[in-house]
Amino acid sequence: YYSLMTLGMMMIFEATTVKGRLRSLKELRGMRNAPQEVLVLRNYSVLNVNPKVVGKKWISVSSAELLPGDIVSLVRSTDPEHVVPCDCLLLSGSAVMNEAMLTGESVPLVKEASIFETSTKEELDHTVLDMRLTHKASILFGGTKILNVTPSTEPGAPKSPNNGCVCFVLRTGFGSSQGKLMRIIMYSQEAVSANSKEAAMFLGFLLIFAIFASGYVLQRGLEDKTRSRYELLLHCILIITSVIP
């Protein structure tokens, strides 16, 4: 009966886990961004993205086809469900962003292309991009919303045909900030494991209690001369092994 009860509890636990995972996947599918058409410039020089100079043209592609290294023009969309499709670096212009989905902060943030507009080519060659601290004010994170866009008026700054802000694609898909957040939600249950100090202490306490309990059962069983020693040994082993979840 004990084995059947254990098997039933394990099946109920696994069924609950599967149901929770399916519910999480359904919610994540509802959070995914609908593909949108964006203007992209490929095969370019980062510091010279004028299509007349490099001999390339802006093309309209789906945001689902963006790749790291693309030059993309982002504008404010009238569709409230349209968000920034990837993590990108501002090359020119400025944007007012709503990052409430990622940070929970409802106050709009101003993003500016200060890293390119205030640095020379020689300085940029020795600059390491820091997305978390130094250059965070020039990064548009995936999943955030564009509230307003102002094209750059600086001479020689990259221009786009639709008067949007010109950005350099850094990370897409699950590698972006929104993708990492979705991965945390999706695999949060797997991150909880028994490899922690608290879990080891709890298992140690259960083991000590089981050893004392099996010792008491063994002592009482040996006092009864008619009791089977084989069954007594099985009961003691069963008590000790019961502490393993």
Side-chain angles (χ1 to χ4, degrees):
Y1 292 105
Y2 177 80
S3 300
L4 293 176
M5 183 181 298
T6 303
L7 179 61
M9 292 178 62
M10 292 179 61
M11 292 181 64
I12 293 175
F13 174 76
E14 293 297 333
T16 304
T17 303
V18 171
K19 183 178 180 181
R21 178 61 56 83
L22 292 176
R23 184 173 62 251
S24 300
L25 291 176
K26 184 178 180 180
E27 293 176 355
L28 288 175
R29 290 191 183 98
M31 293 172 58
R32 64 182 180 181
N33 302 330
Q36 53 182 307
E37 293 294 320
V38 293
L39 292 179
V40 175
L41 181 66
R42 291 175 174 169
N43 299 327
Y44 54 86
S45 171
V46 174
L47 296 179
N48 188 11
V49 294
N50 189 335
K52 295 182 179 179
V53 176
V54 298
K56 299 296 179 181
K57 295 182 179 180
W58 291 87
I59 58 175
S60 178
V61 300
S62 172
S63 58
E65 300 177 2
L66 290 176
L67 299 173
D70 286 341
I71 292 290
V72 60
S73 176
L74 298 179
V75 296
R76 179 187 177 185
S77 175
T78 56
D79 190 343
E81 295 185 358
H82 283 180
V83 295
V84 178
C86 57
D87 291 352
C88 49
L89 173 67
L90 267 175
L91 300 181
S92 69
S94 62
V96 180
M97 308 298 300
N98 180 4
E99 297 185 350
M101 180 177 180
L102 297 180
T103 64
E105 179 61 49
S106 59
V107 179
L109 300 178
V110 178
K111 303 287 184 173
E112 297 179 343
S114 57
I115 179 175
F116 279 88
E117 293 183 352
T118 60
S119 302
T120 62
K121 186 178 186 303
E122 290 72 18
E123 293 175 344
L124 290 174
D125 290 339
H126 299 85
T127 300
V128 178
L129 184 63
D130 185 1
M131 298 179 59
R132 295 187 176 182
L133 296 175
T134 308
H135 306 127
K136 186 177 181 180
S138 299
I139 302 295
L140 303 186
F141 295 100
T144 59
K145 293 184 178 182
I146 300 179
L147 303 181
N148 189 30
V149 169
T150 302
S152 176
T153 56
E154 295 291 332
K159 305 294 183 180
S160 66
N162 57 355
N163 293 325
C165 57
V166 180
C167 305
F168 179 85
V169 178
L170 298 173
R171 300 182 301 194
T172 61
F174 281 103
S176 64
S177 300
Q178 185 185 19
K180 290 182 179 180
L181 178 62
M182 295 181 68
R183 280 191 297 173
I184 292 175
I185 298 174
M186 186 181 301
Y187 300 110
S188 60
Q189 295 180 355
E190 296 182 2
V192 179
S193 64
N195 300 324
S196 61
K197 183 178 179 180
E198 292 78 7
M201 294 176 60
F202 178 71
L203 291 176
F205 172 77
L206 291 180
L207 180 60
I208 294 174
F209 181 81
I211 291 175
F212 277 103
S214 61
Y216 177 79
V217 171
L218 180 62
Q219 180 183 1
R220 290 295 185 180
L222 292 176
E223 294 176 357
D224 187 1
K225 303 300 182 180
T226 61
R227 188 169 183 179
S228 172
R229 298 297 185 266
Y230 176 74
E231 292 183 357
L232 179 61
L233 181 62
L234 287 180
H235 286 156
C236 294
I237 295 176
L238 184 62
I239 293 174
I240 295 177
T241 56
S242 297
V243 302
I244 302 176

